[in-house]
Amino acid sequence: MDDPQLHDYNVPERVQTFIKVEHDQAVGYAANHIVMTMGSDFENENANEWYKNLDKLIRYVNQANRIWTTKTNDFFPMSLATHGILNDYFTSRPALKRYECHSNNILQVTRQLNGFSNNTLRSAIFPLSEAMGIGQHHDAVSGAEKQYVANDYAQRLSQGADAALYVINEAYKKLLSKADQSLPMSTQYLCQFSNISECLPIERQDSFTLTIWNPTIQQIDNLIRVPVTKQYKIRSPTGETIAIDHLRVEFDDQGNLNSITNRDKNITLQFSAQGLYWYTSFQGSNSRPEFQSSGAYYFRPLKSNPLPVSSARN
């Protein structure tokens, strides 16, 4: 409040408080020209109020005649204290991170199919679009939320994908129409459990047709991953048999990757202890920096050595 006629005039007090904060932050800088960070979560809802006050404070910022060093590598991870390194959200809840990317793939393809087929089913795409918007929040895809909240995000994505499947099928009815219109169009399915190597619609089926949509404008070579429970012969759209297992991947009894063989070139790449491992989390009281617990934001293992996910032999 910078009007001296008002009873709550507080410019001197606000200026002194601001200068104290500047001095506190200046400890981490090489000169008295510093970057002032303003605001936090839920603190910037009234932009007009914030910018009016920032304009009043800018006049007190000083400049220094100094040649500044440059930083070209990554600014992350940030560190708030000795053991408060904000890097755990890079790997927290990897299944949700993967599901978010997978769902976005479904969303973009569904939008394309809806457009190319000249259908007007945008409203059926909204649930997935809205779920994607929520899922990209910095406390969602980062994995920093509680487990029941992560479950809610995943449920919204799943329901949105189910709604998008209707749009996909309606589009393929037009795009994959046959000369003989009396034959029914096969229903399309999505392998929503491919992350756990399951595709329920095709389990125990003697045969099935795989429909592949290329969302780009050019020819591409991609590996198509379809989890199956038995051996199949793969045929091209014109009926020719396609040779398989161009690649051979070998694992040991503990699930560790041993080797990958390129059968076309007869090249084998050997691996040693290439498996899945985990760290025991450090449990602290968070009362002081040295007691910082590992969590959704902070990656702090109890020991440096990782442990194998499974030590049992099957």
Side-chain angles (χ1 to χ4, degrees), residues 143-202:
E145 67 276 8
K146 299 289 186 180
Q147 183 58 52
Y148 65 88
V149 180
N151 293 341
D152 180 70
Y153 291 141
Q155 182 180 32
R156 291 172 183 268
L157 292 171
S158 176
Q159 292 171 341
D162 289 341
L165 185 56
Y166 167 73
V167 181
I168 293 173
N169 273 290
E170 291 300 303
Y172 277 149
K173 286 179 181 179
K174 291 184 177 181
L175 299 175
L176 298 181
S177 59
K178 298 180 179 180
D180 187 354
Q181 297 295 329
S182 63
L183 295 176
M185 179 64 63
S186 298
T187 302
Q188 305 291 320
Y189 297 95
L190 296 173
C191 293
Q192 289 288 67
F193 299 120
S194 59
N195 64 311
I196 57 174
S197 299
E198 283 189 6
C199 191
L200 299 180
I202 63 174

Side-chain angles (χ1 to χ4, degrees), residues 4 35 53 71 123 129 132 181 210 220-221 226-227 244 258 263 272-273 286 294:
V35 176
N53 283 277
K71 180 177 175 62
S123 60
S129 181
M132 279 296 305
Q181 297 295 329
L210 183 64
I220 58 175
D221 291 322
V226 181
I244 57 174
N258 280 349
R263 288 184 165 182
S272 175
N286 298 329
S294 185

Side-chain angles (χ1 to χ4, degrees), residues 6-25:
L6 297 177
H7 292 292
D8 52 355
Y9 172 76
N10 61 354
V11 169
E13 183 272 330
R14 290 286 82 193
V15 168
Q16 291 304 315
T17 300
F18 183 73
I19 291 176
K20 181 181 184 305
V21 173
E22 283 185 322
H23 288 168
D24 291 341
Q25 289 207 185

